Amino acid sequence: MTTRLSSALLTLALIFGAAACGGGPLSNMVSDYDAAAVSADDRAKVEAADQEAMEARKAADAAVAATEKAETEFEAAENAVKTSEGELDVAKAALDLEEAKAGADQKAGVAAAEKTVEEKEKALEVAEAKRDLAESTLDAKKAMQKEAEMAWLVATAKTELAKLKAKGGSGPQYDQEEAKFEGQLAETEADLAEAKKDRAEAEEAVEASKTELKDAQG
């Protein structure tokens, strides 16, 4: 599992950045669409597609925020593991000191120190399981983010195709242009399907981590 944005998410982040700066998120965009110059029916189709894209963008933005939150929680879980490791080291050192003492009267001290070590070992096991759950949850949030961003690109591709068809045209050049926009939509839909698959696998990993944590706490 990884704790950093994948190359795919970095690519999508760059796409989001381009869109925010006024550039198009896709390679094929209609730059000269005029809503006033198309029929009411075609305009309604474009507006409906554009609304879908806007909603998808909101969902993608929310997914980014969820990923950032999961990143913070994973870092906290990692720090908790480090703290638990330190406490276990201290407990083991205390046990060594008790065992080094001479005399039968030190047996109680050794027994108490051994118990503390056992407790700290258990605490570390639980902390590691929580860390693993936080990591798998982070991976799942990243997968959900990628899926949401791909859904936005699909919706945007649909909007651009609707604009092109609303403008209309004829002849080989228009047919070629339409084929490019349709191919762009098909490509983004295929990427979305792959993202959905990745998200499902990531969610399965989360469930497995939950089971491991339950076992560690038992």
Side-chain angles (χ1 to χ4, degrees):
M1 290 182 284
T2 176
T3 63
R4 298 186 180 275
L5 286 174
S6 65
S7 59
L9 285 178
L10 285 172
T11 299
L12 288 169
L14 292 174
I15 290 173
F16 264 44
C21 294
L26 298 170
S27 58
N28 296 305
M29 305 283 289
V30 178
S31 60
D32 56 350
Y33 173 74
D34 183 1
V38 302
S39 70
D41 286 345
D42 286 336
R43 184 165 57 252
K45 291 178 182 178
V46 171
E47 290 175 351
D50 192 45
Q51 181 62 35
E52 181 182 341
M54 290 175 61
E55 293 300 321
R57 176 60 189 267
K58 289 179 182 178
D61 288 341
V64 170
T67 298
E68 292 173 349
K69 181 175 181 291
E71 180 81 45
T72 299
E73 291 173 348
F74 170 64
E75 290 173 356
E78 273 196 316
N79 289 332
V81 168
K82 292 176 182 178
T83 298
S84 188
E85 289 173 338
E87 291 176 350
L88 176 58
D89 288 341
V90 170
K92 287 181 176 179
L95 174 59
D96 289 342
L97 287 175
E98 290 294 334
E99 290 177 336
K101 293 178 181 178
D105 58 338
Q106 298 303 319
K107 288 183 179 180
V110 170
E114 288 177 339
K115 182 178 180 181
T116 299
V117 169
E118 290 176 358
E119 291 172 348
K120 296 302 180 181
E121 287 176 339
K122 181 67 175 180
L124 176 58
E125 181 184 0
V126 172
E128 288 175 336
K130 287 182 177 179
R131 186 268 318 276
D132 292 345
L133 175 57
E135 185 175 15
S136 61
T137 298
L138 173 58
D139 288 340
K141 293 299 182 183
K142 287 180 179 180
M144 291 175 190
Q145 177 185 334
K146 181 180 177 182
E147 179 183 354
E149 289 171 340
M150 290 311 309
W152 170 62
L153 291 182
V154 167
T156 302
K158 288 180 179 178
T159 300
E160 295 306 308
L161 179 57
K163 288 178 180 178
L164 182 69
K165 289 186 175 182
K167 283 179 53 182
S170 61
Q173 184 174 355
Y174 174 80
D175 292 342
Q176 185 177 26
E177 191 75 2
E178 185 178 38
K180 285 198 302 183
F181 278 73
E182 289 176 342
Q184 176 175 255
L185 175 57
E187 182 177 349
T188 55
E189 286 177 331
D191 289 339
L192 175 58
E194 186 65 25
K196 287 179 179 291
K197 179 182 176 182
D198 291 342
R199 186 259 304 157
E201 292 176 352
E203 288 179 336
E204 289 179 0
V206 170
E207 293 305 313
S209 293
K210 287 180 179 179
T211 298
E212 291 174 0
L213 174 57
K214 185 177 180 180
D215 291 342
Q217 292 174 323

